[in-house]
Amino acid sequence: MKPYSLMSAQELAAEKSAVSAKYADFKSQNLKIDMSRGKPGADQLELSSAILETVTEKTGFRALDNTDTRNYGVLGGLPECKRLFAEILDVKPENIIVGGNSSLSLMFDYISQCMTTGAGSKPWMMQGNVKFLCPAPGYDRHFSICEHFGIEMIPVPMLADGPDMDVIESYMNDTLVKGMFCVPKYSNPQGITYSDATVRRIAALKPAAKDFRIIWDNAYCVHDINDTPDKLLNIFEACEERGSEDMVIEFTSTSKISFPGAGVSVIAASENNIKAITERLFVQIISYDKINQLRHARYFKDADGIKAHMKLHASIIKPKFDAVTDALNNQLAGLDIASWNVPNGGYFVSLDVTGAAASRVGELCKDAGLKLTQVGATYPYGNDPHDRNIRIAPTFPPVDELKIAMDVLCTAVKLAALEKF
Amino acid sequence: MKPYSLMSAQELAAEKSAVSAKYADFKSQNLKIDMSRGKPGADQLELSSAILETVTEKTGFRALDNTDTRNYGVLGGLPECKRLFAEILDVKPENIIVGGNSSLSLMFDYISQCMTTGAGSKPWMMQGNVKFLCPAPGYDRHFSICEHFGIEMIPVPMLADGPDMDVIESYMNDTLVKGMFCVPKYSNPQGITYSDATVRRIAALKPAAKDFRIIWDNAYCVHDINDTPDKLLNIFEACEERGSEDMVIEFTSTSKISFPGAGVSVIAASENNIKAITERLFVQIISYDKINQLRHARYFKDADGIKAHMKLHASIIKPKFDAVTDALNNQLAGLDIASWNVPNGGYFVSLDVTGAAASRVGELCKDAGLKLTQVGATYPYGNDPHDRNIRIAPTFPPVDELKIAMDVLCTAVKLAALEKF
């Protein structure tokens, strides 16, 4: 296709007339499609439904060590569940805490702990105006945690192999810079996996703040969608070489393995950090839901069990990602008004609108009945400096609906660009 | 029986010889009995096992409003679960938040919220050395929360009808006194239910601190064990008369209704407080485990369902409480070395050792293989000023074992008293 910028006035007018007509047609259809969040589709949920049959009166409620999972106790998680996630994350079981249904809560609670009691330091709240490095575009829920606690966010540009490490390193002398949020594999929203070199540079950071903490949100650790998955270097292996294990707290969950509303969440951390977190957990909770932990351990058994299960997810998700990239390729390639990534896993496709304002695209989609992630949400304070990024979450709508949604989106991108000529 | 204080030296010597022999006999038996925590017994857990059959592939995962409980969403809890607890607590469903498996976490998280972001006020952490009123003896986990956050605890004596309100009222001018922990029905450990007059005086408090918050831990709201249960006045009804609803946050859970490790927890609060808590929850979690909420709503259906279920618990627990009070009556009554309560519900019997040090009794029990709640734990900072209180948790051991445990305990109380003569 010919780039809009090279089209004649006549060509542009013809194109605008055609695109406007198509958009008007969508508007008249009273569509109602939600592509705003990274929610698994109904067919993905069915994959795990049998998990509920694994712990019943018939099967019994006892863990392998004979713990009655219905009663109080076992603060850090069931041993068999720890082993399962230790294998997945390639750490030792004693470096694992298994939590409740939300890794977001584990992260929030950890930041809250740092604010109120510090990280082997004075409480962050008592140290002045603390700051976090936030690779952007990134996950809006991370940014919300910072905002909630009044932690100043410093956006760090994302490059093809992870966050711009030069920028990150330039902040290491500031003792008020207390940490960083990372989604190191299939990053939200770009689907970028940090390169080995990036992971090693992160492990080698020498922050002036001894209580600097990296929130390593490995949400998509096993969420490959094709046969050429990305490989992420184990951050703790890299840290070990540098003696920097205390700097990193890793999180993951089964929200997109079993159930988003009823999975289990996981922390992996150094001995010191496990100790500090456990001391707080001892006051915060008597135990997380061990019946649900037992369900997961019994159902998935081991890392191979999880990997086999993730292939089933991939078989459902892959056609959806294909529908997204096919639409982008067919409708936008060559126009020179947008660029996008084609990820090997994760939950999102990130679209950068270079020929128009993303906010205008969002408006046009909304008016045509397509709900996107709030434009801007992928940046700290909702402030996308170039008004460019749109997060596409293809998993929730069925494929047919998704195709329509992409058609609407591409039409809106074109119309918004044409409006500018 | 004759009080020890009135016995002759000869009588005391004979008694000491007999009690010592009995104690030595227990020691030789290598007993291992745990009466340290308020844990339901295995037979109580069986009562609720069928709850796990209520949400399966066969029954489906949809709530009444068609929400797929497996997926993300519904932050404040499923409507049918809200209705269930609204009926139990006699509030409106819109004043309810249904949480995860731990009301302790809901309390910890609320205090944490007040510390970091205040309660319609400056963060408590930024207001100086804040303090809490702590009726004592009380629940050690409440005291741990205060200690964790560096909140200074002010012990308030418990009277027969609740905390000493004169003492509480005397602190209302101190703007650094930010709240109070209460277990208003079948208090832990004494089993005292606050009188209507006490509840009304609490609702009528006029704290100088506008961000004063009462943590109303109604853990035992439906936990009656006999046919003459205590009645607790609805605190929100009393507050309504005074316009003080924002001062109280009520908590409960099904930990001792369904499963201690896998129940659901509940907040009841004013519109303003629900709003403030929801704003924080929006950042902290996407949703609690709605599958488990659905299980509880389907299994118990309504308040009558819960009440019928609690009668089954009572039929198991009552003989245990009887075994405790029978042993105390038979072995200690009239000796003038101890006093105790006979509660109509809850999970504990509170024993005050007046003729010896409770810590010595604890030591003797431990040496004979009986694990009690850490002596002192029922007071702030573990500091029982009179070294007097022992919390008896009768529910976990089977009745036969419990009878032996009580025999050991009574023998230890006698021996500790005799050692002082």
Side-chain angles (χ1 to χ4, degrees):
Chain A
M1 273 184 280
K2 195 170 180 179
Y4 281 178
S5 57
L6 300 182
M7 282 187 186
S8 66
Q10 214 173 355
E11 285 172 315
L12 282 172
E15 173 78 357
K16 189 169 182 183
S17 158
V19 170
S20 297
K22 194 169 175 190
Y23 178 74
D25 184 42
F26 282 129
K27 259 186 98 166
S28 72
Q29 292 178 35
N30 290 315
L31 298 170
K32 209 182 154 189
I33 306 181
D34 190 346
M35 263 208 314
S36 65
R37 307 290 325 172
K39 275 173 85 164
D43 40 3
Q44 288 180 265
L45 300 176
E46 296 302 332
L47 296 176
S48 305
S49 293
I51 201 172
L52 299 184
E53 324 285 338
T54 58
V55 184
T56 63
E57 279 192 284
K58 218 190 299 179
T59 66
F61 305 94
R62 300 228 172 235
L64 291 175
D65 67 358
N66 210 33
T67 295
D68 190 328
T69 56
R70 296 169 297 184
N71 220 329
Y72 286 121
V74 194
L75 181 60
L78 284 187
E80 53 258 61
C81 210
K82 283 191 186 187
R83 280 196 297 272
L84 174 65
F85 291 105
E87 198 189 346
I88 292 282
L89 297 176
D90 192 18
V91 299
K92 292 183 191 147
E94 56 263 40
N95 295 108
I96 291 276
I97 291 171
V98 189
N101 75 324
S102 167
S103 60
L104 186 69
S105 286
L106 294 181
M107 289 180 245
F108 177 99
D109 290 0
Y110 183 69
I111 299 290
S112 188
Q113 167 173 358
C114 292
M115 293 300 286
T116 56
T117 61
S121 62
K122 260 174 63 176
W124 288 0
M125 275 188 79
M126 296 309 191
Q127 294 192 39
N129 178 26
V130 299
K131 306 168 210 172
F132 249 60
L133 299 168
C134 295
Y139 180 32
D140 55 349
R141 297 274 185 174
H142 290 163
F143 305 150
S144 299
I145 292 176
C146 287
E147 215 168 340
H148 175 82
F149 288 111
I151 297 172
E152 187 187 323
M153 288 180 270
I154 302 166
V156 174
M158 279 293 287
L159 309 178
D161 59 350
D164 188 330
M165 290 306 299
D166 291 343
V167 173
I168 288 170
E169 286 164 358
S170 76
Y171 281 100
M172 288 301 104
N173 290 327
D174 186 342
T175 55
L176 285 175
V177 171
K178 292 300 183 193
M180 167 160 69
F181 271 110
C182 296
V183 181
K185 190 171 176 187
Y186 303 134
S187 70
N188 177 348
Q190 294 167 300
I192 290 171
T193 298
Y194 295 10
S195 69
D196 290 2
T198 297
V199 173
R200 287 206 177 91
R201 271 177 86 178
I202 290 174
L205 288 173
K206 296 272 179 227
K210 292 309 157 212
D211 50 357
F212 183 87
R213 289 293 181 271
I214 295 163
I215 306 299
W216 197 252
D217 184 0
N218 204 351
Y220 306 109
C221 54
V222 291
H223 301 60
D224 310 317
I225 55 175
N226 60 30
D227 297 332
T228 56
D230 298 349
K231 298 266 179 232
L232 176 70
L233 187 68
N234 181 350
I235 180 79
F236 287 113
E237 226 174 276
C239 285
E240 215 170 280
E241 289 165 23
R242 300 285 182 163
S244 59
E245 308 92 278
D246 290 348
M247 197 168 62
V248 178
I249 321 269
E250 184 171 12
F251 297 86
T252 194
S253 79
T254 69
S255 290
K256 281 145 187 159
I257 298 174
S258 59
F259 300 135
V264 297
S265 59
V266 180
I267 297 173
S270 70
E271 190 184 338
N272 287 333
N273 284 326
I274 291 286
K275 187 166 168 283
I277 293 168
T278 303
E279 278 168 8
R280 183 248 310 161
L281 283 180
F282 183 79
V283 182
Q284 189 179 13
I285 196 164
I286 297 176
S287 61
Y288 286 107
D289 184 339
K290 296 182 301 297
I291 294 184
N292 209 33
Q293 294 180 3
L294 185 60
R295 281 187 197 106
H296 283 75
R298 284 185 178 171
Y299 190 68
F300 293 114
K301 293 184 181 71
D302 54 24
D304 283 342
I306 294 222
K307 280 173 202 157
H309 187 79
M310 293 314 290
K311 284 201 187 297
L312 304 177
H313 277 289
S315 69
I316 293 173
I317 289 181
K318 178 74 166 46
K320 296 186 178 184
F321 276 82
D322 288 348
V324 169
T325 46
D326 287 354
L328 294 169
N329 282 327
N330 294 337
Q331 299 193 45
L332 299 182
L335 299 183
D336 202 19
I337 56 169
S339 63
W340 56 90
N341 65 321
V342 181
N344 292 317
Y347 259 66
F348 304 102
V349 174
S350 177
L351 174 68
D352 274 338
V353 183
T354 48
S359 52
R360 175 64 184 144
V361 176
E363 236 172 63
L364 287 167
C365 288
K366 195 182 159 200
D367 289 347
L370 170 60
K371 192 177 171 192
L372 296 173
T373 303
Q374 178 67 39
V375 171
T378 53
Y379 282 80
Y381 307 108
N383 177 26
D384 176 353
H386 306 288
D387 192 5
R388 188 164 64 191
N389 189 247
I390 289 175
R391 185 180 83 163
I392 301 172
T395 52
F396 190 65
V399 175
D400 288 352
E401 214 175 69
L402 180 64
K403 285 181 177 167
I404 300 169
M406 286 308 300
D407 216 356
V408 174
L409 175 58
C410 291
T411 305
V413 170
K414 285 196 262 191
L415 188 54
L418 289 161
E419 285 172 352
K420 285 187 67 178
F421 280 97
Chain B
M1 274 184 281
K2 197 171 178 178
Y4 281 178
S5 58
L6 300 181
M7 281 189 187
S8 66
Q10 214 174 355
E11 285 172 316
L12 281 172
E15 174 78 357
K16 189 170 183 185
S17 157
V19 170
S20 297
K22 194 170 174 188
Y23 178 74
D25 183 43
F26 281 129
K27 258 186 100 163
S28 71
Q29 292 177 34
N30 291 315
L31 297 170
K32 208 181 156 191
I33 307 179
D34 190 346
M35 264 208 315
S36 65
R37 307 292 323 173
K39 275 173 87 163
D43 40 2
Q44 288 180 267
L45 301 176
E46 297 302 333
L47 296 176
S48 304
S49 293
I51 201 171
L52 299 185
E53 325 286 339
T54 57
V55 184
T56 64
E57 282 192 279
K58 217 189 302 178
T59 66
F61 305 94
R62 300 231 171 232
L64 291 175
D65 66 359
N66 210 34
T67 295
D68 189 330
T69 56
R70 296 168 298 182
N71 220 329
Y72 288 120
V74 193
L75 181 60
L78 285 187
E80 53 258 62
C81 210
K82 283 191 184 186
R83 281 196 296 273
L84 174 63
F85 292 106
E87 197 189 346
I88 292 282
L89 297 177
D90 192 17
V91 300
K92 291 182 193 148
E94 57 263 39
N95 294 108
I96 292 277
I97 291 171
V98 189
N101 75 323
S102 168
S103 59
L104 186 68
S105 285
L106 294 181
M107 290 181 245
F108 178 99
D109 290 0
Y110 183 68
I111 299 289
S112 189
Q113 169 172 358
C114 293
M115 293 301 285
T116 57
T117 59
S121 61
K122 261 175 62 176
W124 289 359
M125 274 188 80
M126 296 309 191
Q127 293 192 38
N129 178 28
V130 300
K131 307 168 209 172
F132 248 60
L133 300 169
C134 295
Y139 180 32
D140 54 351
R141 297 275 184 172
H142 290 164
F143 305 149
S144 299
I145 292 175
C146 288
E147 215 168 340
H148 176 81
F149 288 110
I151 298 172
E152 187 186 323
M153 290 180 268
I154 303 166
V156 174
M158 279 292 288
L159 309 178
D161 59 350
D164 188 329
M165 289 306 299
D166 291 344
V167 173
I168 288 171
E169 285 163 358
S170 75
Y171 281 100
M172 288 302 103
N173 289 327
D174 186 343
T175 54
L176 285 174
V177 171
K178 291 301 182 193
M180 166 160 70
F181 271 110
C182 297
V183 181
K185 189 171 175 188
Y186 303 135
S187 70
N188 176 349
Q190 294 167 300
I192 289 170
T193 298
Y194 295 10
S195 68
D196 291 2
T198 297
V199 173
R200 288 207 175 89
R201 272 177 85 176
I202 290 174
L205 288 173
K206 295 272 177 229
K210 292 307 157 212
D211 50 357
F212 183 88
R213 289 293 180 271
I214 297 163
I215 306 299
W216 197 252
D217 183 0
N218 204 352
Y220 306 108
C221 53
V222 290
H223 301 60
D224 309 317
I225 54 176
N226 60 32
D227 298 331
T228 55
D230 297 350
K231 298 265 180 233
L232 176 70
L233 187 68
N234 181 349
I235 181 79
F236 288 113
E237 225 175 275
C239 284
E240 215 169 280
E241 290 165 23
R242 301 286 182 162
S244 59
E245 307 92 279
D246 289 348
M247 196 169 62
V248 178
I249 321 270
E250 183 171 14
F251 298 85
T252 194
S253 79
T254 69
S255 289
K256 282 147 185 157
I257 297 174
S258 59
F259 300 135
V264 297
S265 60
V266 179
I267 296 174
S270 70
E271 190 184 338
N272 287 333
N273 284 324
I274 290 287
K275 186 165 170 284
I277 293 168
T278 302
E279 277 168 9
R280 183 247 311 161
L281 283 180
F282 183 79
V283 182
Q284 187 179 15
I285 195 163
I286 297 177
S287 61
Y288 286 106
D289 184 341
K290 297 183 299 297
I291 294 185
N292 209 32
Q293 294 180 3
L294 186 59
R295 282 186 195 107
H296 283 77
R298 284 185 178 172
Y299 190 69
F300 293 115
K301 293 184 180 72
D302 54 24
D304 283 341
I306 294 224
K307 279 174 202 157
H309 187 79
M310 293 314 290
K311 284 201 188 298
L312 304 177
H313 277 290
S315 68
I316 293 173
I317 288 181
K318 178 73 163 51
K320 296 187 178 184
F321 276 82
D322 288 347
V324 169
T325 45
D326 286 355
L328 295 169
N329 281 327
N330 295 335
Q331 297 192 44
L332 298 182
L335 298 182
D336 203 19
I337 56 172
S339 64
W340 56 90
N341 64 321
V342 181
N344 292 317
Y347 258 66
F348 304 103
V349 174
S350 177
L351 174 67
D352 274 337
V353 182
T354 48
S359 51
R360 176 63 184 146
V361 175
E363 233 172 63
L364 288 167
C365 287
K366 193 181 161 201
D367 290 346
L370 170 61
K371 191 176 171 194
L372 297 173
T373 304
Q374 179 67 40
V375 171
T378 52
Y379 282 80
Y381 307 108
N383 178 26
D384 176 355
H386 304 289
D387 192 6
R388 189 164 64 190
N389 189 248
I390 290 175
R391 185 180 82 162
I392 301 172
T395 52
F396 190 65
V399 176
D400 288 352
E401 215 176 66
L402 180 66
K403 284 181 178 167
I404 300 169
M406 286 308 299
D407 214 356
V408 173
L409 175 58
C410 291
T411 304
V413 170
K414 285 196 259 190
L415 187 54
L418 288 162
E419 285 172 351
K420 286 187 65 179
F421 279 98

